[in-house]
Amino acid sequence: KQWVKSLVDFDMVLRFTDKDAQTHINRGIALLGARDTLGAHESFDKAIRTNRDYTEGYNQKAMLLMAEGRNEEALEMYNMAIKCDSSYLQPLFNRGIVFCNLERYEEATSDFERVLELNPYVTSAYFDLAIIHSIQGNFPRALAMYDKVLEHAPENVKGYYNRAGVLMEMDRDLEALGDYSKAIELYPDFANAYLQRAVVKDKIHDSAGAKRDRAIADRKIAEYEA
């Protein structure tokens, strides 16, 4: 992360050849590391002008736009990246996130499913599909996606926590209780998991257990705030 030294070297390369798109991209990444966002934009733009068929220039520009909350502009760049290489996972996945940000869930679903066609081990794609299905009220489908998350990443705390919420929506309270307990086992300081487990315990008439969980959550929150 010696950004200034790396910039000196990239500038030296560009003295010999100004026509290497990857060097402009690398320079842009170094500028981001040095907190020069405007310079990074200029370097990514130069990479695109240098080679308009090179997907990574569009991809890096799009990621920067997305980080700045400029979703519509990021979408245009991701479209160009995917046009150059329709099998490149990162712009496909990130375009799905942009579609989610724009509440265009059907298009986001299509992108995440395409990612999984290319690589069925991208756990975050199952996770995002589960969130979309939950938003749309399709809880059985959301549950299936969280099952896939936990199949590939059995220690994913948020996977258990979110799946528990889906199970509660489906009135499968004992299974939800098990998932909240697993989330707490993996991350004992997870205050929200104690609070949600308390809600489940109230539903199954375990008032004493619910009271204990709320007390633990209050203590964890106080420790965090301190």
Side-chain angles (χ1 to χ4, degrees):
K1 297 182 180 180
Q2 297 183 45
W3 307 116
V4 174
K5 290 183 178 180
S6 70
L7 286 166
V8 170
D9 283 347
F10 290 133
D11 287 343
M12 181 64 73
V13 173
L14 292 171
R15 285 188 193 177
F16 291 98
T17 173
D18 195 37
K19 301 300 182 184
D20 182 53
Q22 188 61 52
T23 302
H24 288 294
I25 290 168
N26 291 342
R27 185 174 181 275
I29 293 169
L31 285 163
L32 277 180
R35 300 175 182 265
D36 182 356
T37 305
L38 182 60
H41 273 298
E42 291 172 352
S43 282
F44 296 146
D45 288 340
K46 187 64 181 289
I48 291 168
R49 290 195 300 272
T50 300
N51 186 347
R52 295 190 180 278
D53 296 320
Y54 188 42
T55 188
E56 189 60 20
Y58 300 107
N59 184 50
Q60 290 293 334
K61 175 76 173 181
M63 285 195 291
L64 181 50
L65 290 166
M66 186 169 69
E68 294 175 337
R70 296 160 65 180
N71 288 298
E72 294 286 358
E73 294 170 85
L75 181 58
E76 291 181 20
M77 289 293 109
Y78 282 131
N79 287 341
M80 292 300 298
I82 293 163
K83 183 178 179 181
C84 292
D85 183 356
S86 62
S87 64
Y88 186 16
L89 290 181
Q90 190 173 63
L92 269 171
F93 180 83
N94 284 346
R95 189 176 70 175
I97 294 174
V98 169
F99 280 134
C100 284
N101 293 340
L102 296 170
E103 299 184 4
R104 293 166 60 174
Y105 296 119
E106 295 303 322
E107 290 156 295
T109 297
S110 178
D111 275 354
F112 293 138
E113 289 177 346
R114 176 60 179 154
V115 167
L116 291 170
E117 286 176 15
L118 294 167
N119 183 348
Y121 299 102
V122 182
T123 304
S124 49
Y126 293 113
F127 200 101
D128 289 336
L129 282 170
I131 291 172
I132 291 171
H133 293 311
S134 294
I135 289 169
Q136 295 177 327
N138 188 346
F139 297 115
R141 190 65 183 145
L143 180 61
M145 293 297 100
Y146 283 126
D147 288 345
K148 295 295 288 185
V149 169
L150 294 168
E151 175 186 330
H152 293 297
E155 296 195 356
N156 187 310
V157 175
K158 288 296 291 293
Y160 289 104
Y161 179 80
N162 285 13
R163 187 173 72 174
V166 170
L167 288 165
M168 285 184 68
E169 292 285 353
M170 300 172 72
D171 294 321
R172 294 165 61 173
D173 297 329
L174 291 178
E175 292 168 90
L177 185 69
D179 273 358
Y180 284 130
S181 296
K182 183 64 176 179
I184 289 166
E185 176 189 326
L186 291 168
Y187 180 30
D189 291 330
F190 196 173
N192 280 344
Y194 289 101
L195 291 172
Q196 288 302 115
R197 190 171 69 173
V199 172
V200 179
K201 287 181 177 180
D202 276 334
K203 286 184 71 178
I204 62 174
H205 309 294
D206 179 8
S207 299
K211 184 177 179 180
R212 283 194 300 273
D213 276 352
R214 289 193 179 93
I216 294 170
D218 288 344
R219 187 170 70 249
K220 299 289 184 186
I221 292 168
E223 289 170 356
Y224 175 79
E225 290 177 345

